[in-house]
């Protein structure tokens, strides 16, 4: 007889880690350089700093370093990882997945299934839900899944999208002992529709976008995913805003979270009148705004933006949060979305110091605008076979994992 698999009673996030570029740009300085009022960037879209990747930092290096931090900080043996999924929309190869590079660089076992998921900014959530299903179905057999969201948002110098760039990776270990966050696996809401709101053809390094249309697609997707989640339970009050300790949304720029929260109210209550606007504003300040500080200084990291806000929340928790319910909404252009509920782990507050990337962020190098422009131009062809090998020392890299050039069409990485 075949082996009988025991299903897991719970699944969720056991560990998290963040890694971002070593350089950043001050958004007020960028605004002045672009003849724009600084408030348009700092208040209009809510960004104060923007992470900038050097030619030696890519999706692979950031994913690997974020994963190493999560495994090390939470004392997880790489041999226990049975599934590795990297969600990204900025891969390094049209065929070869980022995940297999990460698999090798982490030293994972050969029987660890490994793949990449792509659906714009929804890719990591797709991987996360797949891993949760894998565990709940009993196929994990005690092993854990490693999900990494890693991206570089690039739109080019002096483009409309320039102030919404960013880069970074968030790694999450998913298991049947979810000490940080347990998912309600039975109430996931989904939404998919083919739209041309944001895309990047195979021949282009930069994305194309219909900005206003994309915002509307995002909001419509929220309504669709929320309604689908509500349809799967007997009591939709489980999703009521007054039942939440925090609400997390995909954050391509900080101000988008405010628009999303307004739609959350509309999806729950129907048409909103002027009299309800103060209550919506108060709700936003309580449930959303406190957990956007990391997004504001890192910028858009596509697949990882939602989970960076979750890290912000978990790094500041205390014992009183144990068991509290939170919501998570993921949106990926094109488009796909999901709405989920989770509950804070009983011991999550004990791990708060392990989740805080503030020291790393404080040690970043601030770029003058001319330095930022030089660096950005240098990244445009750094990964081509004909380009000179990028030198980590040129960009003041002293330790970590870095991309060091392509020879005979083979990418190479080096640990300093």
């Amino acid at each position: 007889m075949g082996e009988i698999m025991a299903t897991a009673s719970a699944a969720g996030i056991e560990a998290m880690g963040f890694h971002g570029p070593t350089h950043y740009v001050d958004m007020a300085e960028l605004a002045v350089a672009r003849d724009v009022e600084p408030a348009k960037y700092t208040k209009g879209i809510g960004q104060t700093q923007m992470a900038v990747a050097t030619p030696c930092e890519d999706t692979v290096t950031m994913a690997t370093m974020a994963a190493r931090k999560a495994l090390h900080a939470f004392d997880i043996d790489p041999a226990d990882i049975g599934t590795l999924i990297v969600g990204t929309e900025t891969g390094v190869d049209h065929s070869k997945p980022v995940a297999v590079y990460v698999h090798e660089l982490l030293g994972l076992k050969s029987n660890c299934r490994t793949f990449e998921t792509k659906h714009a900014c929804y890719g990591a959530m797709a991987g996360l839900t797949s891993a949760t299903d894998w565990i709940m179905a009993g196929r994990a057999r005690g092993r854990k899944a490693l999900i990494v969201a890693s991206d570089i948002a690039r739109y080019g110098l002096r483009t409309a999208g320039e102030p919404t760039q960013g880069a970074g990776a968030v790694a999450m270990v998913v298991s049947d002992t979810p000490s940080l966050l347990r998912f309600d696996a039975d109430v996931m809401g989904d939404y998919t529709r083919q739209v041309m709101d944001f895309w990047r053809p195979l021949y282009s390094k930069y994305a194309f976008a219909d900005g206003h249309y994309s915002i509307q697609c995002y909001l419509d997707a929220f309504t669709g995913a929320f309604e689908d989640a509500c349809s799967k339970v007997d009591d939709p009050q489980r999703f009521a805003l007054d039942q939440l300790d925090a609400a997390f949304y995909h954050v391509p720029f900080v101000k988008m979270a405010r628009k999303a929260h307004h739609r959350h109210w509309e999806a729950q209550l129907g048409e909103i009148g002027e009299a309800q606007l103060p209550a919506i504003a108060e709700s936003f300040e309580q449930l959303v705004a406190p957990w956007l500080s990391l997004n504001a200084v890192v910028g858009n990291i596509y697949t990882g933006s939602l989970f960076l806000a979750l890290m912000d929340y978990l790094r500041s928790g205390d014992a009183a949060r144990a068991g509290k319910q939170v919501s998570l909404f993921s949106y990926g252009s094109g488009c796909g979305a999901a709405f989920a509920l989770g509950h804070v782990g009983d011991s999550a507050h004990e791990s708060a110091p392990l989740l805080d990337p503030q020291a790393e962020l404080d040690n970043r190098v601030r770029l003058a605008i001319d330095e930022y422009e030089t660096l950005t131009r240098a990244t445009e062809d750094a990964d081509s076979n004909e380009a000179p090998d990028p030198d980590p020392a040129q960009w003041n890299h002293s330790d970590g994992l870095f991309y060091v050039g392509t020879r005979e069409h083979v990418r190479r990485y080096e640990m300093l």
Side-chain angles (χ1 to χ4, degrees):
M1 295 180 64
E3 180 183 354
I4 298 176
M5 295 183 293
T7 58
S9 59
I13 301 173
E14 178 183 349
M16 298 183 77
F18 169 80
H19 184 80
T22 58
H23 297 70
Y24 76 96
V25 165
D26 180 85
M27 295 301 286
E29 288 186 17
L30 180 62
V32 171
R34 300 296 181 254
D35 294 321
V36 172
E37 173 61 39
K40 182 175 181 179
Y41 291 171
T42 59
K43 296 186 182 299
I45 61 174
Q47 301 297 142
T48 58
Q49 297 174 359
M50 182 176 76
V52 181
T54 72
C56 298
E57 297 169 304
D58 68 3
T59 310
V60 172
T61 65
M62 294 189 302
T64 303
M65 294 300 293
R68 283 183 174 176
K69 290 175 181 178
L71 296 174
H72 176 75
F74 287 80
D75 196 25
I76 295 173
D77 188 343
D80 291 337
I81 303 299
T83 289
L84 166 64
I85 307 172
V86 175
T88 183
E89 61 177 278
T90 50
V92 299
D93 189 284
H94 293 316
S95 176
K96 193 177 181 67
V98 168
V100 78
Y101 288 101
V102 177
H103 180 282
E104 178 188 41
L105 291 164
L106 292 177
L108 302 185
K109 298 176 70 173
S110 62
N111 66 345
C112 169
R113 67 171 187 161
T114 298
F115 56 96
E116 181 177 305
T117 50
K118 180 176 73 176
H119 194 145
C121 301
Y122 173 65
M125 176 61 95
L128 187 62
T129 56
S130 295
T132 301
D133 290 343
W134 174 68
I135 291 167
M136 295 294 289
R139 286 182 50 80
R141 296 181 175 88
R143 294 179 299 170
K144 307 174 191 291
L146 175 60
I147 314 302
V148 191
S150 184
D151 271 303
I152 299 174
R154 285 196 182 103
Y155 299 107
L157 299 174
R158 295 178 177 81
T159 63
E162 183 181 30
T164 61
Q165 297 179 116
V170 177
M172 297 167 280
V173 176
V174 180
S175 74
D176 59 4
T177 55
S179 57
L180 295 180
L181 189 75
R182 173 179 58 82
F183 289 109
D184 282 352
D186 61 330
V187 295
M188 177 73 69
D190 297 297
Y191 180 88
T192 301
R193 183 163 66 99
Q194 201 289 110
V195 296
M196 295 301 292
D197 64 326
F198 175 99
W199 66 102
R200 184 169 65 87
L202 295 177
Y203 53 78
S204 177
K205 278 186 173 290
Y206 297 109
F208 296 86
D210 185 336
H212 292 293
Y213 180 50
S214 188
I215 290 174
Q216 188 58 52
C217 291
Y218 177 119
L219 298 175
D220 290 346
F222 179 89
T223 301
F226 181 84
E227 290 178 349
D228 185 53
C230 289
S231 73
K232 295 175 179 177
V233 298
D234 294 331
D235 181 13
Q237 280 300 112
R238 290 177 63 178
F239 301 97
L241 282 158
D242 60 9
Q243 300 296 307
L244 301 178
D245 194 56
F248 305 109
Y249 306 99
H250 170 52
V251 191
F253 52 92
V254 165
K255 197 66 173 287
M256 189 64 218
R258 186 180 295 275
K259 298 177 186 293
H261 196 61
H262 189 100
R263 178 55 64 93
H264 199 155
W265 273 72
E266 290 178 329
Q268 178 181 309
L269 301 177
E271 188 174 347
I272 300 296
E274 289 287 333
Q276 292 164 305
L277 295 182
I280 296 175
E282 181 181 354
S283 174
F284 175 80
E285 292 301 325
Q286 177 183 347
L287 300 180
V288 187
W291 330 121
L292 297 173
S293 63
L294 292 179
N295 295 86
V297 299
V298 173
N300 189 4
I301 59 171
Y302 288 157
T303 51
S305 297
L306 164 67
F307 304 108
L308 191 58
L310 175 61
M311 283 190 72
D312 207 347
Y313 170 81
L314 292 173
R315 71 168 177 165
S316 58
D318 56 31
R321 279 202 187 142
K324 295 287 188 179
Q325 181 171 266
V326 302
S327 67
L328 302 95
F329 173 68
S330 175
Y331 174 77
S333 291
C335 72
F339 180 88
L341 294 180
H343 293 270
V344 179
D346 291 343
S347 60
H349 64 284
E350 297 174 3
S351 300
L354 305 177
L355 297 166
D356 193 352
Q358 197 61 53
E360 174 185 331
L361 295 172
D362 290 343
N363 285 329
R364 295 181 301 175
V365 177
R366 180 172 176 168
L367 293 168
I369 299 305
D370 61 334
E371 293 174 320
Y372 152 69
E373 292 178 347
T374 297
L375 188 157
T376 298
R377 293 188 185 98
T379 64
E380 292 183 351
D381 298 312
D383 59 350
S384 71
N385 193 60
E386 294 74 23
D389 292 343
D391 181 5
Q394 178 183 354
W395 308 107
N396 300 311
H397 295 308
S398 58
D399 59 82
L401 174 70
F402 300 103
Y403 166 71
V404 292
T406 296
R407 290 184 183 173
E408 297 184 6
H409 306 287
V410 176
R411 298 180 72 86
R412 297 176 300 118
Y413 295 91
E414 183 177 307
M415 177 66 73
L416 299 183

